[in-house]
Amino acid sequence: MAHRPSRPGFARPTEVLELLARQGELARNPKQCFQFMAGCCALIQAWLPPVAQQALQVARRYWNQQTSEAELTAARVRCWRHLDASKAGSDLLDRKTCAVRAVICCLYPLTTDEYITEVLRTFLEFFDTVEQHRTEQVRILEEVFAEQLAYHDWL
């Protein structure tokens, strides 16, 4: 019986995402990318205004094929309008603004590899401005991409 190398311990979500990107797993699994972002948004739910919470529900329905891309776009527009109406809407250091912007990242269909990578990078920047949850983010990635992570060589 061949010995399989053990998976390295990940300290940061970017380490997991970089590995998955190199292996092509992000492009093959856009729904899991959304599930990761949605799981992270649950960690900062207290920072999300109702418009962002409702938008996440639309995104969940979209990824479960229960609503259209047009509804996803409409939810994104509502979030942008919310930010436009806010005094801090363009302040990228404001935690509430960044929480809404993190949700906005969940409101794209994630259709190309380059796009997925950019959206995830942007999502993490906004998310980390709201709160630091690296351990939880790694856990969510390991759960959402468990099958993909289990089959890669770690050398």
Side-chain angles (χ1 to χ4, degrees):
M1 194 155 129
H3 178 265
R4 231 179 126 70
S6 63
R7 181 170 52 83
F10 296 107
R12 297 183 335 241
T14 52
E15 294 171 353
V16 185
L17 289 169
E18 288 167 5
L19 172 72
L20 291 166
R22 280 195 310 272
Q23 300 292 339
E25 295 296 351
L26 299 179
R28 283 191 290 273
N29 299 285
K31 183 175 182 177
Q32 280 94 324
C33 294
F34 163 74
Q35 290 171 329
F36 163 67
M37 291 188 292
C40 290
C41 285
L43 298 171
I44 59 169
Q45 189 168 356
W47 291 98
L48 300 178
V51 67
Q53 292 179 20
Q54 293 161 1
L56 271 177
Q57 292 304 317
V58 170
R60 285 186 181 94
R61 288 195 307 274
Y62 172 81
W63 284 103
N64 288 320
Q65 300 177 341
Q66 297 171 340
T67 196
S68 67
E69 189 172 330
E71 285 298 316
L72 191 68
T73 300
R76 188 170 63 241
V77 168
R78 286 190 296 274
C79 286
W80 280 118
R81 285 184 180 151
H82 171 81
L83 289 176
D84 288 344
S86 168
K87 288 181 182 177
S90 61
D91 182 354
L92 299 182
L93 298 176
D94 181 78
R95 294 166 89 178
K96 291 179 182 180
T97 297
C98 288
V100 174
R101 286 177 179 253
V103 169
I104 289 171
C105 291
C106 299
L107 301 173
Y108 290 94
L110 303 177
T111 54
T112 66
D113 186 28
E114 297 82 22
Y115 194 64
I116 290 170
T117 303
E118 181 64 21
V119 168
L120 288 168
R121 184 191 62 73
T122 303
F123 171 81
L124 287 175
E125 287 176 15
F126 290 133
F127 181 90
D128 288 345
T129 300
V130 180
E131 291 181 0
Q132 296 285 317
H133 288 282
R134 289 192 176 120
T135 302
E136 294 90 340
Q137 288 173 310
V138 168
R139 178 190 52 77
I140 293 167
L141 280 167
E142 289 176 335
E143 288 174 7
V144 169
F145 287 97
E147 184 176 321
Q148 292 81 8
L149 290 169
Y151 291 106
H152 290 290
D153 292 325
W154 301 107
L155 298 177

